[in-house]
């Protein structure tokens, strides 16, 4: 009975994550229409959870809903990059600091697993980008502040779209290796070092994108 009650939000979450990932990786290009029937069939989700997901994506500025016209993937405004980076510079550092203070033994086990993934030294760019995203979201979770995690995820997703947009122009840097000392600092409870490294990571990304524009 409980599973039945929980099923709709779980389906909506799955739809949200699938469409979000298509948007941030440019699998759904900026400005393209969201064709609900086709997208729902491809993702294997019904109309109701998909529409719930689209409403959530609209609140995060990833899609635009125009009455009587349809729903479209939001355009990318490069002028927003500096503003997004300004917010992330503050919040990414704060999340890393809080994670160092608040991470549980289970959290630290998960971060250790991510360190093992980094040390695996995959050279596939898509694999590295997915791992980088997983690391960011794990740190947000370890901060144990759902409001902070939601806000950071919003700005990270917007930043990630810009990363994919300029991927061919950005230098082939393994960003996951930059996270290694930050994860170690969080596990060790070194909040100041974790914050500094997280801020430095955002600043490095900001400089790389500015150089590519």
């Amino acid at each position: 009975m409980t599973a039945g009650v929980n099923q709709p939000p779980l389906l909506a979450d799955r739809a949200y994550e699938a469409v979000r990932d298509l948007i941030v990786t440019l699998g759904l290009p900026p400005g393209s229409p969201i064709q609900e029937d086709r997208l729902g069939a491809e993702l294997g989700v019904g109309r109701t959870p998909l529409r719930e997901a689209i409403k959530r994506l609209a609140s995060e500025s990833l899609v635009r809903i125009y009455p009587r016209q349809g729903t479209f993937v939001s355009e990318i405004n490069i002028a927003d990059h500096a503003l997004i980076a300004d917010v992330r510079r503050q919040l990414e550092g704060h999340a890393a600091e809080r994670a160092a203070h608040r991470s549980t033994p289970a959290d630290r086990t998960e971060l250790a697993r991510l360190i093992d993934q980094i040390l695996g030294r995959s050279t596939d760019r898509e694999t590295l980008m997915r791992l980088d995203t997983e690391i960011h979201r794990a740190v947000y979770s370890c901060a144990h502040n759902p409001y902070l995690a939601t806000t950071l995820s919003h700005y990270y997703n917007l930043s990630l779209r810009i990363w994919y947009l300029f991927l061919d122009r950005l230098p082939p840097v393994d960003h996951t290796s930059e996270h290694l000392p930050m994860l170690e600092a969080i596990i060790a409870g070194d909040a100041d070092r974790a914050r500094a490294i997280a801020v430095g990571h955002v600043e490095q990304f900001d400089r790389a994108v500015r150089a590519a524009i």
Side-chain angles (χ1 to χ4, degrees), residues 1-145:
M1 206 56 142
T2 303
V5 171
N6 291 336
Q7 190 174 16
L10 289 174
L11 286 174
D13 287 346
R14 184 161 66 87
Y16 162 79
E17 291 172 1
V19 181
R20 176 202 65 196
D21 290 349
L22 285 171
I23 291 173
V24 299
T25 61
L26 308 187
L28 287 172
S32 63
I34 300 289
Q35 300 174 348
E36 291 185 14
D37 290 341
R38 182 176 64 80
L39 190 57
E42 289 178 359
L43 300 177
V45 296
R47 181 171 296 179
T48 297
L50 183 59
R51 287 185 173 174
E52 289 179 20
I54 288 172
K55 288 179 182 177
R56 184 174 170 186
L57 292 163
S59 72
E60 297 176 1
S61 307
L62 291 175
V63 304
R64 302 287 185 192
I65 301 173
Y66 298 99
R68 297 183 296 278
Q69 295 183 46
T71 302
F72 299 83
V73 178
S74 299
E75 296 286 356
I76 296 176
N77 186 347
I78 301 305
D80 290 340
H81 168 70
L83 302 177
I84 294 168
D86 186 44
V87 174
R88 290 188 62 223
R89 190 177 294 110
Q90 301 301 319
L91 296 187
E92 292 278 356
H94 184 63
E97 178 184 357
R98 286 291 182 264
H101 285 309
R102 298 175 177 173
S103 58
T104 66
D107 291 333
R108 292 191 287 275
T109 296
E110 172 61 13
L111 297 182
R113 182 190 69 81
L114 291 171
I115 288 175
D116 289 341
Q117 292 287 310
I118 294 171
L119 296 176
R121 295 294 181 195
S122 170
T123 57
D124 177 68
R125 200 167 197 178
E126 285 297 321
T127 299
L128 290 173
M129 291 180 74
R130 286 195 297 271
L131 178 58
D132 184 87
T133 298
E134 187 177 359
I135 291 167
H136 277 279
R137 291 174 178 156
V139 172
Y140 305 162
S141 176
C142 290
H144 291 281
N145 183 334

Side-chain angles (χ1 to χ4, degrees), residues 92-103 108 111 139 179-199:
E92 292 278 356
H94 184 63
E97 178 184 357
R98 286 291 182 264
H101 285 309
R102 298 175 177 173
S103 58
R108 292 191 287 275
L111 297 182
V139 172
H179 292 308
L180 185 59
M182 179 188 66
L183 296 179
E184 292 173 339
I186 292 173
I187 291 172
D190 190 340
D192 290 341
R193 178 166 168 74
R195 171 187 276 275
I197 295 169
V199 171

